[in-house]
Amino acid sequence: NAGVTQTPKFQVLKTGQSMTLQCAQDMNHEYMSWYRQDPGMGLRLIHYSVGAGITDQGEVPNGYNVSRSTTEDFPLRLLSAAPSQTSVYFCASSYTGQGRSGNTIYFGEGSWLTVV
Amino acid sequence: AQSVTQLGSHVSVSEGALVLLRCNYSSSVPPYLFWYVQYPNQGLQLLLKYTSAATLVKGINGFEAEFKKSETSFHLTKPSAHMSDAAEYFCAVSDVDSSYKLIFGSGTRLLVRP
């Protein structure tokens, strides 16, 4: 079971560089999202999507772009990396509905990003 | 806006002792509530969730949580701690009509002493 797959797992960037974190899910979930995790702050929502072609901002969107051209993929772009974007990034997916998996967010394994 | 408070950034228990991790939320309308566990350098795994069915929710690995509307709480318990329970635990909440957006607490790291 692949679930939610993120790449790369580790990345070091220089300040000002751009990069894309890839995320794919194989569960046909309608909703996808990106969170960042920082020590003592839990996870915070960056951007989310309620379906192909539809995205919206979360709590901490500045410095990030997203797009959703297909149901399966939801890449996160860092436009000009800053040290404040050093964090662990998690992609997630979910669907609404009944059943054991309904209304439950499933997370990828995380991407550790360091900006120097 | 929704918020989640987890009391205690670190909780230490002896192996075999009761585990109690506290979570309070702020919402005038009962939300959906979740507990996730994160082992070092790994992603988040769902332990259990409350989505307006039974108020006592049983999860994986022997954990359970009780939704108490009057106290706006969703504390996580386990009768007997195992060494393998050492991890970070996150409480999270979502609105019923936007379950795809989670608000997380700051996390509680559980330490289990032999």
Side-chain angles (χ1 to χ4, degrees):
Chain A
N1 292 339
V4 180
T5 303
Q6 295 180 229
T7 56
K9 191 166 180 72
F10 300 98
Q11 183 72 50
V12 179
L13 282 180
K14 293 183 179 179
T15 297
Q17 286 185 318
S18 63
M19 77 158 296
T20 299
L21 298 176
Q22 301 292 344
C23 177
Q25 54 97 3
D26 63 356
M27 298 174 282
N28 200 33
H29 285 173
E30 55 197 308
Y31 304 114
M32 296 187 73
S33 49
W34 277 100
Y35 292 80
R36 59 177 288 172
Q37 181 180 21
D38 301 293
M41 301 185 73
L43 281 77
R44 293 178 293 168
L45 181 63
I46 304 172
H47 284 285
Y48 65 95
S49 168
V50 300
I54 306 170
T55 64
D56 206 346
Q57 297 180 350
E59 182 184 355
V60 287
N62 292 340
Y64 307 95
N65 261 357
V66 292
S67 60
R68 185 127 179 245
S69 56
T70 67
T71 299
E72 295 79 18
D73 300 301
F74 191 47
L76 177 72
R77 298 181 187 85
L78 280 70
L79 308 173
S80 177
S84 61
Q85 293 179 303
T86 294
S87 188
V88 184
Y89 292 85
F90 289 96
C91 182
S93 73
S94 65
Y95 73 95
T96 55
Q98 301 302 312
R100 196 171 69 88
S101 299
N103 304 308
T104 301
I105 294 182
Y106 293 90
F107 288 86
E109 290 294 305
S111 296
W112 274 254
L113 176 66
T114 301
V115 182
V116 298
Chain B
Q2 289 266 25
S3 67
V4 178
T5 302
Q6 291 184 241
L7 291 177
S9 59
H10 292 80
V11 170
S12 180
V13 301
S14 298
E15 192 173 19
L18 171 72
V19 176
L20 171 60
L21 304 182
R22 299 178 186 274
C23 173
N24 289 87
Y25 66 93
S26 69
S27 175
S28 58
V29 177
Y32 291 160
L33 292 153
F34 306 83
W35 276 99
Y36 285 87
V37 60
Q38 185 180 34
Y39 298 100
N41 299 320
Q42 294 188 22
L44 280 76
Q45 180 182 10
L46 180 70
L47 276 177
L48 48 81
K49 66 178 182 181
Y50 167 78
T51 56
S52 72
T55 56
L56 182 61
V57 182
K58 293 187 183 298
I60 62 171
N61 303 339
F63 285 93
E64 64 181 36
E66 185 172 8
F67 170 66
K68 292 187 176 180
K69 182 180 177 181
S70 61
E71 299 177 7
T72 60
S73 69
F74 191 58
H75 302 331
L76 182 71
T77 61
K78 182 174 181 178
S80 177
H82 294 163
M83 296 298 291
S84 59
D85 294 327
E88 188 150 25
Y89 293 80
F90 292 95
C91 181
V93 62
S94 73
D95 290 332
V96 172
D97 59 358
S98 57
S99 61
Y100 47 86
K101 294 195 289 183
L102 286 176
I103 303 295
F104 281 86
S106 56
T108 298
R109 184 165 298 278
L110 177 65
L111 308 171
V112 182
R113 304 185 304 271

